[in-house]
Amino acid sequence: MKNKILDISSLDRALLDQLDTYIKNLEGDNEENLIHVLHRAQALFGHLPHNLQLYVARALNLSGAKVNGVVTFYSFFNEEPTGKYVVSVCMGTACFVKGADKVLQKILDIIGTKKNEMSADGLFTVKDVRCIGACGLAPVVTINDKVYGKVQVNDVETLIGRYKGGQSA
Amino acid sequence: MKLIEKMIRCSINGITLDVEAGTTILQAAKKVGVDVPTLCHLDLHDIGIANQSANCRVCLVEDEKRHQLVPACAEKVVEGMAVQTDSLKAVMARRTSLELLLSNHPQDCLTCIKNLDCELQTLAHDMNIKEIHYPGEKMNHPLDLTSKGISKDSNKCIMCRRCITMCDEVQTVGILSPLKRGFDVVVATAFHLDMDQTSCTYCGQCVSVCPTAALAEMNDTPKVWRALNHPEKHVVVQIAPAVRVALAEEFGFPPGEISTGKIVAALKRLRFDTVVDTNFGADLTVIEEAHELVDRMENGGRLPMLTSCCPAWVQFIEHQFPELLDVPSSCKSPQQMVGTLIKSYYAEKRAIDPKKIVSVSVMPCLAKKAEAARDEFHQNGLRDVDYVITTRELARMIKEAAIDFKTLQEQPFDELLSDSTGAAAIFGTTGGVLEAAARTAYEMMTGKELKEVDFTAIRGLEGVREATIPMGERSLRIGIAHELGNARKLLEAIRDGKSHFDLIEIMACPGGCIGGGGQPYHHGRLDVIKARQEALYRLDATLPKRKSHQNEEVIQLYDVFLEKPGSHKAHQLLHTTYSAKTRI
Ligand code: SF4
Ligand code: SF4
Ligand code: SF4
Ligand code: FES
Ligand code: FES
């Protein structure tokens, strides 16, 4: 194979088998099923590396570009491994005008990482996301499935501190 | 019975008209001769596809009743609608849309490969843009010059998505997609792979429709100039069948002008040492291919056999149907056959050291650039074809040299590798290779003379065509497809054992090479392609010999050099192999 990065031999065969079974039982149009399959794949593998995306493309007879387009369109898909806690900062209009960008920067500073990259200790991945529909609580931050509203720059230290030990608060 | 559609009454700039349901404002406006600027919109009506992304907003017009601006290319006309295309509101809104598009667009038009051939530039001119009021942050994407065929500069992309429509829906190759979204969105390959790491066929149809220089041909003219300027190099050039019926368009001639003699003259003025004809290679291909076909048919070989002249199509089957690599003919394409012969037969005859020869081709095609660079195509460390330039690139060289194409005196090809028949002429159109092969196969199989050489039943521009040609005791069942989406259908049938053909011709481009990715831009107009096609058939009809096996020089080539069709030497020089590739 020309593209080493797309070689699937690094993927866990047992997990791929589970994915295959899932795909086999799907009905209907492959293109419409794509998002479900990607969700499933991410649930199994934790994230969606390029070789896994291409595997899905082949399994559904879609082009790699199509699959990669969908994966990069939705912020809930991760191409890179994510930390134990995924911190999503809403950058929708309501949150933005209430200073979400400053909150985001503060979170990145405290954790000491870059956007969309897993922190060195493997605990955090910080992302910016589109409006999550809780505008009344702007600015909104979610950590895994917990939602925190009206987050101010000054709150960030305590908020992140609660997760820093590695056990969720 | 035809249902009588209820007509919809509307008005455009005060002119009342009735249109069918589903008509867009743009189509309605066109009916009454009102022009609306467009950019992202592309109606390839004739090949049944339209790019409807409606995201550039340069076509905004005013819906008077709703006091609303709507995109004319996408908005459907409704009963009683009154549209003003030139209200102040509409004019200003269109200007704003265009300025926004230009705000982050590079402004290096002077040196851009699409200078004076760019739809964005033309629009900026037509819309009187003299200043851009929205200084935008310029994009900073790396150029992708990795492939031999296509250069990709995402900084010049205006996100119209025409390329995606073309690649996904017409060609079904699926190389490009928008990645990310919002301000970060970019039209890219899967995983941002370099173009040469993808399954791109280099058919260049995305280039044909890209309004800017975001996708363009690799510019190989500097390399050719360098070879021409090299004191020791002997530069031989060949020209493809489809080039001679299109190049003149670049110099103001109508589509379908046959300008072979003028092109030869221009090439001589450009100081190429020898001008030979790809059509010679086409005749040779027919003989080798017909020989292979008869052999497969008589000895229980793999059928159908697929023609292999189109490298985009070869690339397609290698990546998309690697399990079917025993179906294409093993014959090299005419370009590669002539290239091989230039550095062997021609070199020998003219007593020139092949190392000193530079072999150049002028092709309608971007895939030919990639084909020339394939691993398979070299002998003794020398490339069969060194450089490939497109019809458009040759036109640029002629302009650069300030040669007055219009008044050039026609000149004949040089002596070697230049004889050709009518069968070779039609290689440039869909159906042509097959018709040429049928003329020769018929006489090979039946031993009788073919009286009626025009297989008109298989001509035309239908996406997939089929026919059965009686050949003495048995008959030849043939299929023809152009555009890779149509090819996919035929290949799926073969894979599933549902194909009953003996011989199939496939060309990647709409209309075949006449609609190639390196031809003068036809802007989706099928009448341009039709005119080129008719010119090829005209050329065929005027030639004294119309069957490839009547080509005297080819006969002689076998006598003195290749022995006989399908000989060991012919195989060594004129045939090739294919290998399975990963689909990306
Ligand atoms: S050259 Fe052809 S295959 Fe390649 S991206 Fe363009 S349209 Fe698709
Ligand atoms: S590359 Fe060209 S055709 Fe494709 S979206 Fe960009 S501007 Fe449009
Ligand atoms: S049909 Fe002709 S121009 Fe188009 S890719 Fe094939 S060989 Fe090239
Ligand atoms: S803008 Fe943040 S929740 Fe809607
Ligand atoms: S041409 Fe209508 S939106 Fe682009």
Side-chain angles (χ1 to χ4, degrees):
Chain A
M1 150 150 0
K2 250 197 310 185
N3 301 288
K4 286 257 157 46
I5 50 155
L6 298 177
D7 186 355
I8 60 156
S9 60
S10 64
L11 298 173
D12 185 330
R13 190 63 247 182
L15 293 178
L16 286 179
D17 287 343
Q18 286 187 47
L19 186 62
D20 287 345
T21 316
Y22 177 79
I23 293 172
K24 233 191 342 218
N25 292 325
L26 285 171
E27 276 167 25
D29 185 67
N30 282 351
E31 206 165 325
E32 280 160 23
N33 288 330
L34 175 59
I35 293 197
H36 302 293
V37 174
L38 289 171
H39 269 298
R40 184 72 197 174
Q42 180 159 297
L44 287 166
F45 288 85
H47 68 290
L48 298 168
H50 291 166
N51 53 355
L52 182 57
Q53 290 180 45
L54 192 66
Y55 184 84
V56 169
R58 279 304 70 77
L60 297 178
N61 196 22
L62 297 171
S63 74
K66 169 116 240 155
V67 174
N68 193 218
V70 169
V71 169
T72 55
F73 185 85
Y74 295 104
S75 53
F76 45 76
F77 291 129
N78 300 304
E79 294 196 279
E80 301 292 332
T82 54
K84 186 167 177 201
Y85 305 113
V86 178
V87 182
S88 305
V89 183
C90 174
M91 283 288 156
T93 319
C95 292
F96 189 83
V97 298
K98 295 235 165 126
D101 54 333
K102 298 192 188 71
V103 172
L104 172 66
Q105 195 49 54
K106 180 80 180 185
I107 293 175
L108 291 171
D109 289 347
I110 286 182
I111 296 175
T113 182
K114 287 195 198 125
K115 219 167 64 178
N116 299 322
E117 276 177 26
M118 185 170 66
S119 61
D121 57 9
L123 277 182
F124 296 101
T125 298
V126 184
K127 308 195 201 188
D128 51 354
V129 296
R130 282 189 295 182
C131 176
I132 58 166
C135 309
L137 297 174
V140 179
V141 173
T142 64
I143 302 183
N144 289 358
D145 43 18
K146 289 225 169 76
V147 182
Y148 299 91
K150 305 206 176 197
V151 179
Q152 298 304 307
V153 174
N154 290 336
D155 304 334
V156 169
E157 187 128 29
T158 340
L159 178 63
I160 298 300
R162 282 196 244 160
Y163 291 84
K164 271 218 160 154
Q167 57 265 61
S168 71
Chain B
M1 193 178 77
K2 193 170 176 288
L3 269 179
I4 297 170
E5 297 268 353
K6 189 174 164 335
M7 298 298 271
I8 292 175
R9 175 148 297 187
C10 64
S11 81
I12 310 278
N13 296 354
I15 313 168
T16 306
L17 77 158
D18 294 329
V19 294
E20 278 167 29
T23 306
T24 62
I25 296 176
L26 183 65
Q27 289 162 337
K30 207 172 256 168
K31 285 206 164 104
V32 289
V34 172
D35 211 23
V36 182
T38 56
L39 185 56
C40 66
H41 176 74
L42 179 71
D43 190 357
L44 295 177
H45 183 73
D46 296 309
I47 52 176
I49 214 135
N51 182 55
Q52 288 285 22
S53 60
N55 58 8
C56 78
R57 302 308 209 204
V58 308
C59 66
L60 290 174
V61 294
E62 190 172 349
D63 177 338
E64 269 185 307
K65 295 205 174 135
R66 289 188 292 161
H67 297 288
Q68 238 179 40
L69 292 166
V70 290
C73 70
E75 190 80 8
K76 305 249 160 69
V77 169
V78 294
E79 183 63 40
M81 188 184 244
V83 172
Q84 289 288 339
T85 67
D86 54 5
S87 73
L88 288 175
K89 196 168 158 188
V91 174
M92 291 306 126
R94 290 202 294 264
R95 153 180 282 277
T96 304
S97 304
L98 186 58
E99 275 189 52
L100 282 172
L101 278 176
L102 291 169
S103 68
N104 67 352
H105 196 87
Q107 287 175 18
D108 59 350
C109 294
L110 275 183
T111 50
C112 180
I113 195 163
K114 291 289 280 286
N115 192 12
L116 298 186
D117 225 341
C118 167
E119 293 177 42
L120 184 64
Q121 189 189 42
T122 308
L123 215 52
H125 171 265
D126 292 352
M127 286 171 65
N128 193 23
I129 306 282
K130 296 289 173 273
E131 190 186 345
I132 294 154
H133 296 91
Y134 314 93
E137 203 181 314
K138 296 274 183 293
M139 294 174 274
N140 193 14
H141 300 291
L143 289 186
D144 183 345
L145 304 177
T146 55
S147 87
K148 298 287 179 230
I150 291 176
S151 77
K152 186 168 182 298
D153 181 354
S154 301
N155 302 305
K156 293 189 172 169
C157 175
I158 56 158
M159 296 301 304
C160 68
R161 305 191 181 198
R162 287 180 181 187
C163 53
I164 299 175
T165 302
M166 181 52 86
C167 193
D168 283 5
E169 295 176 34
V170 180
Q171 302 298 57
T172 65
V173 186
I175 296 306
L176 300 165
S177 168
L179 300 189
K180 305 246 178 89
R181 63 177 139 76
F183 281 116
D184 296 330
V185 69
V186 54
V187 170
T189 56
F191 323 120
H192 283 287
L193 288 172
D194 288 338
M195 279 298 259
D196 72 340
Q197 299 291 297
T198 69
S199 299
C200 175
T201 67
Y202 311 119
C203 69
Q205 288 307 310
C206 53
V207 172
S208 293
V209 295
C210 178
T212 70
L215 292 166
E217 69 272 19
M218 289 293 280
N219 178 13
D220 288 309
T221 58
K223 292 180 189 154
V224 175
W225 283 120
R226 222 173 296 137
L228 290 168
N229 274 299
H230 196 297
E232 246 121 71
K233 296 290 185 194
H234 178 86
V235 191
V236 183
V237 62
Q238 57 169 310
I239 60 170
V243 173
R244 64 203 70 192
V245 293
L247 185 113
E249 289 167 34
E250 293 278 355
F251 298 92
F253 288 89
E257 177 78 17
I258 303 169
S259 61
T260 324
K262 280 190 189 301
I263 297 175
V264 175
L267 290 166
K268 301 216 159 193
R269 300 299 307 161
L270 288 169
R271 308 301 194 269
F272 284 92
D273 293 291
T274 304
V275 185
V276 303
D277 199 353
T278 310
N279 288 24
F280 173 84
D283 278 332
L284 190 56
T285 303
V286 168
I287 298 198
E288 285 295 318
E289 218 163 56
H291 183 269
E292 186 181 353
L293 175 70
V294 172
D295 180 61
R296 287 201 202 183
M297 287 177 77
E298 285 174 358
N299 300 313
R302 177 73 153 119
L303 290 174
M305 184 173 95
L306 273 69
T307 59
S308 54
C309 314
C310 168
W313 140 241
V314 166
Q315 183 89 348
F316 183 76
I317 194 172
E318 286 186 326
H319 286 256
Q320 312 273 338
F321 294 87
E323 69 277 22
L324 293 181
L325 291 181
D326 56 341
V327 294
S329 152
S330 62
C331 289
K332 287 185 185 177
S333 69
Q335 153 171 283
Q336 294 304 135
M337 287 200 183
V338 171
T340 310
L341 292 171
I342 287 172
K343 296 213 179 164
S344 54
Y345 176 71
Y346 173 90
E348 218 175 284
K349 278 258 181 181
R350 295 280 304 262
I352 301 171
D353 177 0
K355 285 198 199 69
K356 292 208 170 126
I357 298 180
V358 178
S359 140
V360 176
S361 11
V362 184
M363 295 282 139
C365 175
L366 305 191
K368 290 280 169 193
K369 290 176 185 264
E371 178 185 47
R374 276 175 72 103
D375 290 342
E376 292 85 357
F377 295 145
H378 57 81
Q379 10 164 16
N380 314 321
L382 299 176
R383 306 287 333 163
D384 295 345
V385 174
D386 294 290
Y387 310 122
V388 178
I389 55 172
T390 59
T391 313
R392 290 195 296 269
E393 285 170 279
L394 175 59
R396 293 207 297 271
M397 287 181 75
I398 295 172
K399 288 176 190 167
E400 185 176 352
I403 293 168
D404 184 8
F405 190 79
K406 275 204 159 138
T407 59
L408 276 177
Q409 286 296 317
E410 302 197 358
Q411 283 195 38
F413 286 101
D414 286 299
E415 231 157 67
L416 287 170
L417 309 178
S418 59
D419 192 13
S420 73
T421 69
I426 55 177
F427 256 59
T429 168
T430 170
V433 176
L434 208 144
E435 182 168 341
R439 291 178 192 173
T440 290
Y442 181 90
E443 298 201 353
M444 264 192 193
M445 285 171 67
T446 62
K448 288 196 206 116
E449 193 198 332
L450 176 70
K451 294 260 164 48
E452 181 47 70
V453 293
D454 292 310
F455 291 88
T456 39
I458 60 174
R459 294 183 181 175
L461 284 169
E462 202 68 23
V464 180
R465 310 192 289 288
E466 43 189 274
T468 303
I469 303 177
M471 298 234 163
E473 327 254 277
R474 59 173 302 177
S475 49
L476 189 68
R477 297 156 304 173
I478 55 146
I480 297 168
H482 57 130
E483 295 170 9
L484 292 169
N486 293 324
R488 182 180 289 283
K489 290 181 208 148
L490 284 184
L491 285 168
E492 281 169 353
I494 297 174
R495 187 195 54 201
D496 303 340
K498 289 186 193 140
S499 154
H500 310 290
F501 295 117
D502 300 311
L503 181 62
I504 294 179
E505 175 206 286
I506 293 179
M507 293 197 196
C509 296
C513 304
I514 44 176
Q519 294 279 57
Y521 293 108
H522 54 72
H523 302 290
R525 283 174 47 203
L526 203 68
D527 55 318
V528 172
I529 295 179
K530 270 191 196 133
R532 294 175 189 164
Q533 186 183 51
E534 280 157 16
L536 288 180
Y537 286 121
R538 250 187 355 257
L539 203 54
D540 170 26
T542 54
L543 286 170
K545 292 182 177 153
R546 302 184 59 194
K547 300 166 193 160
S548 296
H549 53 281
Q550 296 170 325
N551 183 320
E552 297 283 349
E553 205 197 335
V554 168
I555 297 171
Q556 200 194 348
L557 178 74
Y558 278 109
D559 280 351
V560 303
F561 193 69
L562 292 171
E563 294 156 30
K564 59 179 198 308
S567 72
H568 180 67
K569 189 156 187 190
H571 262 275
Q572 244 178 358
L573 292 174
L574 307 181
H575 289 251
T576 184
T577 52
Y578 309 106
S579 58
K581 313 265 161 73
T582 313
R583 176 177 171 199
I584 304 285

